[in-house]
Structures are given as structure tokens and as C-alpha cells.
Amino acid sequence: MSDSSRDAPIERLGPPVVRAGQVQPISPAVGWERLVFVSGQVPMVAGQPAAADMAGQTHATIDMIESILATAGCTLADVVKTTCWITDAAQYPAFNAAYGERFVPEKAPARSTVIAGLIAPVLVEIEAIAVRPA
């Protein structure tokens, strides 16, 4: 790593995360040089799930990621890796279909998908890493 890389500033992108009226110790995204790391996003709007079904929640989550990426000068096409958590393996086909509508297989990022319990009362959480265009 060059000396200039070590000295590159880390950017906190987006407004502070507020949940239940409390500012959280989370940045929506962090940028370093050309990399943008988007924190795990869940499909919550005004304290409620954005949709009742997996497809709707997946699209809402990706919409949130897309909005955060825009603040960093990126689009979904710049995403190189996602990590996805879903709460129910039986919902995987619906998740995968909705995800595939936003990240087409020919240009899809690397992805890990895990079955896990989530803190929020939702079906999916997604985090992303993107590379800013030169």
C-alpha cells in the first residue's frame, strides 16, 4: 500500500442513521478512495416494513442501497459484492427472482446469501460494496 493510500481520508456518506428516535453508531456508507461500503439496509419505512412480501422487501432494500450509492456518485452497476441475509430459506426463490430483476446475471456482483435472524421485523437485509467510476 502506498503512503498516499494510507493517508486517503475515509468519508462518512449520508446523514446519521436514526432508529426509534436515537442516533445510531452506524454510517449509511463509508467511502475510501474508489471503494464505497454500504451498511446493511433493511426495508423499513417510518418504523414499518416497506412491503409484506419478500419480493417487495427485496426491491425496497435495493432501492435504499441505490439511493445511498447515488450520494457517492455510484449506481447499482458499480456494485461488485453484496452480502444478503434472509430469514427463511423457503423465501429464497422469491428473493433471488427479485434480486435478479435488479442485478441481471450477466452483470451481477459477487454475492453471499445467508439464512439468519434479523433485528428488524423484516425478511431481508442487504449490504453492498461498490467501486466508484474513475
Side-chain angles (χ1 to χ4, degrees), residues 58-59 62 65-66 69 75-82 84 96-109 111 126-128:
T58 300
H59 282 292
I62 295 171
I65 291 169
E66 188 172 38
L69 287 171
T75 69
L76 291 177
D78 300 314
V79 174
V80 295
K81 171 72 169 90
T82 61
C84 308
N96 199 50
Y99 184 96
E101 291 174 16
R102 305 299 290 278
F103 295 106
V104 295
E106 300 78 30
K107 297 181 180 182
R111 179 180 96 189
I126 303 173
E127 69 179 20

Side-chain angles (χ1 to χ4, degrees), residues 11-110:
E11 305 168 75
R12 302 304 192 260
L13 304 167
V17 174
V18 178
R19 293 192 181 125
Q22 299 278 328
V23 175
Q24 301 296 305
I26 303 168
S27 292
V30 173
W32 182 73
E33 294 196 338
R34 290 186 56 206
L35 295 175
V36 178
F37 301 86
V38 179
S39 293
Q41 299 298 302
V42 294
M44 295 289 287
V45 176
Q48 298 296 318
D53 66 317
M54 176 60 85
Q57 288 193 20
T58 300
H59 282 292
T61 303
I62 295 171
D63 288 346
M64 297 168 97
I65 291 169
E66 188 172 38
S67 177
I68 292 167
L69 287 171
T71 68
C74 295
T75 69
L76 291 177
D78 300 314
V79 174
V80 295
K81 171 72 169 90
T82 61
T83 303
C84 308
W85 295 268
I86 63 175
T87 59
D88 180 0
Q91 293 287 325
Y92 179 78
F95 161 77
N96 199 50
Y99 184 96
E101 291 174 16
R102 305 299 290 278
F103 295 106
V104 295
E106 300 78 30
K107 297 181 180 182

